[in-house]
Amino acid sequence: PARPAPPAQRPHPTPGRSRTDTPENRSAPQIQLIPASAAGALDAADEAVDLLLDSGRAPGDILVLTTGEQHPWAAHELTFGEAAYWAQHEAGDDVFFAGAEAADRLRTRPVVIVAVNGGDTVADVLTGARERAGALLIVCGDPQRINAVLGAAV
């Protein structure tokens, strides 16, 4: 089947920027909370991706994780096989979408977005996402549930 263009391949300005937010020279990531219901968390995450790209963030800087059902883009890409899917992650040149169950295989990226769209492992996912976020962690979901996990950091 033909592949649709991922969100990152929409036209966005790409001004040059330095890579000062690599894991070697970073402190704890900034955390932003976007209130959303579990049903609306994927849409909120997609909007956050678009805003980051529109502001000049490179597509390869962004990792999107889901705590419940897989993001439609990840589900689509997995139809081409695990090897092709993970090769995209290794290439690191586009936004990468993954489910929480894949967290152990994911590398650090400057921006990690978590869509809290269900699932029972929210605390584990948010802890892992915080470790993988180089500069910015964006969490889309129920503020009360997220604050209970992240505490005063949000």
Side-chain angles (χ1 to χ4, degrees):
R3 294 182 184 195
Q9 290 181 356
R10 297 180 195 143
H12 297 282
T14 54
R17 62 180 193 78
S18 74
R19 290 267 185 179
T20 58
D21 53 1
T22 59
E24 296 81 32
N25 24 325
R26 72 175 177 106
S27 56
Q30 176 186 355
I31 299 173
Q32 292 181 359
L33 174 61
I34 299 175
S37 66
L42 284 177
D43 288 338
D46 285 343
E47 288 177 25
V49 168
D50 286 341
L51 287 170
L52 288 164
L53 295 172
D54 287 344
S55 71
R57 182 63 79 168
D61 285 356
I62 304 169
L63 170 65
V64 180
L65 298 173
T66 56
T67 63
E69 188 174 318
Q70 188 77 266
H71 188 283
W73 181 250
H76 172 76
E77 287 301 310
L78 282 165
T79 65
F80 297 98
E82 289 269 336
Y85 174 75
W86 287 106
Q88 290 180 11
H89 174 61
E90 294 302 316
D93 56 2
D94 204 352
V95 177
F96 190 77
F97 298 87
E101 72 283 351
D104 291 344
R105 292 186 70 174
L106 300 170
R107 288 195 212 156
T108 298
R109 291 207 181 185
V111 180
V112 175
I113 301 171
V114 178
V116 181
N117 62 332
D120 296 328
T121 60
V122 174
D124 292 339
V125 174
L126 292 179
T127 299
R130 183 187 270 173
E131 293 169 3
R132 283 174 181 75
L136 178 61
L137 171 61
I138 300 173
V139 185
C140 306
D142 175 38
Q144 202 168 24
R145 185 174 187 189
I146 294 163
N147 285 329
V149 174
L150 295 177
V154 176

